Amino acid sequence: MSVLDGTLVNVALPSLTKEFDVEPNTAIWLINSYQMVIMMFLLVFAAFGDIIGYRKVFLYGVTVFTIASALCALSQNFEMLVCSRVLQGLGAACVMSVNTALVRLIYPPEVLGRGMSINAMAVAVSSAAGPSIAGLILSALSWHWLFAINIPLGIISFWIGYKRLPRNVSLKKKNVGFWGCLGNVLTFGLMIYALEGFAHHESRVLISVAFVAFLVIGYFYLRSQLNASTPLLPVDLLKIPIFARSIMTSVSSFMAQMLAMVSLPFFFQDAMHFTPVEIGVLLTPWPIATMLTAPIAGRLVERYHPGILGAIGMGIFSAGLFLLYFMPEGSDVADIFWRVMICGAGFGLFQTPNNLTIMSSAPMERSGGASGMLGMARLCGQTLGTTAVAIVFAVMPHTAGARLCLLFGAVVALIAGTASISRVTQKFVNPRNRSRQ
């Protein structure tokens, strides 16, 4: 739910713009506010997970998210909907911050790769399936149901989590200082505001002020984190070479994904004249292919180095994007389907080994911090990809711009694949082998 709601509203923006009689650049904050709040609080809640337990943070998050979804569905005006989306973002930040830490806690080391594959599949499919699911809902129901559907799912999630999720006790006492939390919130909030504001042509004065404030506050925040014994921003984990490279490849992979997922609907609509519902169907092979390859990757990573598997996955993903870039405008549905499916298959093959590397290379007591960084990497990549598409579309027609975004995405995926193969020289202790020692 938390990942899906990041892209679910995209398809409904034109309807919401008319419903509340607001400008498109104002309506976009229904998406930006959600993403911004998650970025601002993700590492804060990850740190709380290391202290009070991942289960508690997860259950708090599901509760807040479900209540906020009900408020979104009941919103009578635009202001109430935006405020409800902010509250929804807080709940989503709680869930995302401890998600993979809980997976690491639940699965025995020898089969952790399989657990990571299920988790990576859920995240990747949710990211890609948003337009398809939104199109299906809006074809039969009003926009309110985009949020109302979360209410029964949230109740079920809370009940299962309360009954089944394990409790963890912090292995290391640490404090989350107020100034550290404030620095984190301001740094990432200002960064997202500056990027999104620039992409959507907000006031240049406000953007400039936000960017300068981001640089100043970010500098002092980073400096304080470098000197902290237990930093909120886990810069100490970035000193582990394989962890740092895996984070960077994750950012690149999600940036390439969003370059494709945001630009393709415009290409299908403007150049190939498909309807919004048909566009949702055309993108469906992506999450289906990811669902098929992610579990396979979970088993392969028990035998092969994740750097090799990640490079193969990004190579396949890049090939799929190149095939879409060279696709003629007169192509039929079958031609589109197999190209989109190649993209999804490569993306699914990459995510599981990469996520396993990130979580396994961090100490067990820092699982919350590693989980938070994994979420931050995904959100940073998605934000950069979305911003890049907006900038390209601002300077050229959608048809040519979409092709350029696909080409750019293919190149970024190749860079991610190169970075992944470079990890082969880095020390990686397979959790399966570690459990036997």
Side-chain angles (χ1 to χ4, degrees), residues 13 40 62 92 103 121 131 138 157 166 205 258-259 307 326 331 335 391 417:
L13 275 184
M40 290 164 68
V62 170
V103 173
M121 178 182 68
L138 293 174
S157 298
V205 175
M258 291 308 288
L259 279 163
F326 288 110
S331 299
D335 284 336
I391 292 171

Side-chain angles (χ1 to χ4, degrees), residues 103-144:
V103 173
R104 189 179 188 184
L105 196 64
I106 292 167
Y107 279 82
E110 62 270 17
V111 291
L112 180 58
R114 301 179 197 183
M116 286 292 179
S117 72
I118 296 171
N119 186 65
M121 178 182 68
V123 172
V125 168
S126 298
S127 299
S132 303
I133 295 174
L136 184 64
I137 293 173
L138 293 174
S139 65
L141 301 167
S142 69
W143 64 266
H144 303 81

Side-chain angles (χ1 to χ4, degrees), residues 202-266:
E202 295 286 333
S203 167
R204 291 291 181 252
V205 175
L206 287 176
I207 294 171
S208 301
V209 171
F211 185 70
V212 171
F214 158 67
L215 292 177
V216 174
I217 295 173
Y219 169 76
F220 287 105
Y221 171 63
L222 182 60
R223 204 167 116 179
S224 69
Q225 293 298 290
L226 288 170
N227 297 324
S229 57
T230 52
L232 189 66
L233 178 67
V235 286
D236 55 329
L237 295 180
L238 293 173
K239 296 176 183 178
I240 304 171
I242 195 168
F243 181 91
R245 292 192 187 187
S246 299
I247 288 292
M248 292 308 299
T249 54
S250 184
V251 172
S252 301
S253 70
F254 279 103
M255 181 179 178
Q257 184 203 40
M258 291 308 288
L259 279 163
M261 293 302 295
V262 176
S263 62
L264 273 175
F266 289 95

Side-chain angles (χ1 to χ4, degrees), residues 405-428:
C405 290
L406 290 171
L407 179 61
F408 186 25
V411 172
V412 172
L414 275 180
I415 294 172
T418 304
S420 182
I421 199 69
S422 72
R423 293 180 294 176
V424 175
T425 60
Q426 302 293 320
K427 182 181 179 181
F428 171 73

Side-chain angles (χ1 to χ4, degrees), residues 88-110:
Q88 202 181 35
L90 284 171
C94 286
V95 172
M96 292 182 187
S97 66
V98 296
N99 186 29
T100 44
L102 279 166
V103 173
R104 189 179 188 184
L105 196 64
I106 292 167
Y107 279 82
E110 62 270 17

Side-chain angles (χ1 to χ4, degrees), residues 61-103:
V62 170
T63 302
V64 172
F65 187 90
T66 306
I67 293 172
S69 296
L71 292 173
C72 286
L74 295 171
S75 294
Q76 300 297 311
N77 53 62
F78 184 75
E79 291 76 15
M80 181 179 176
L81 184 55
V82 171
C83 291
S84 300
R85 284 285 282 174
V86 169
L87 187 62
Q88 202 181 35
L90 284 171
C94 286
V95 172
M96 292 182 187
S97 66
V98 296
N99 186 29
T100 44
L102 279 166
V103 173

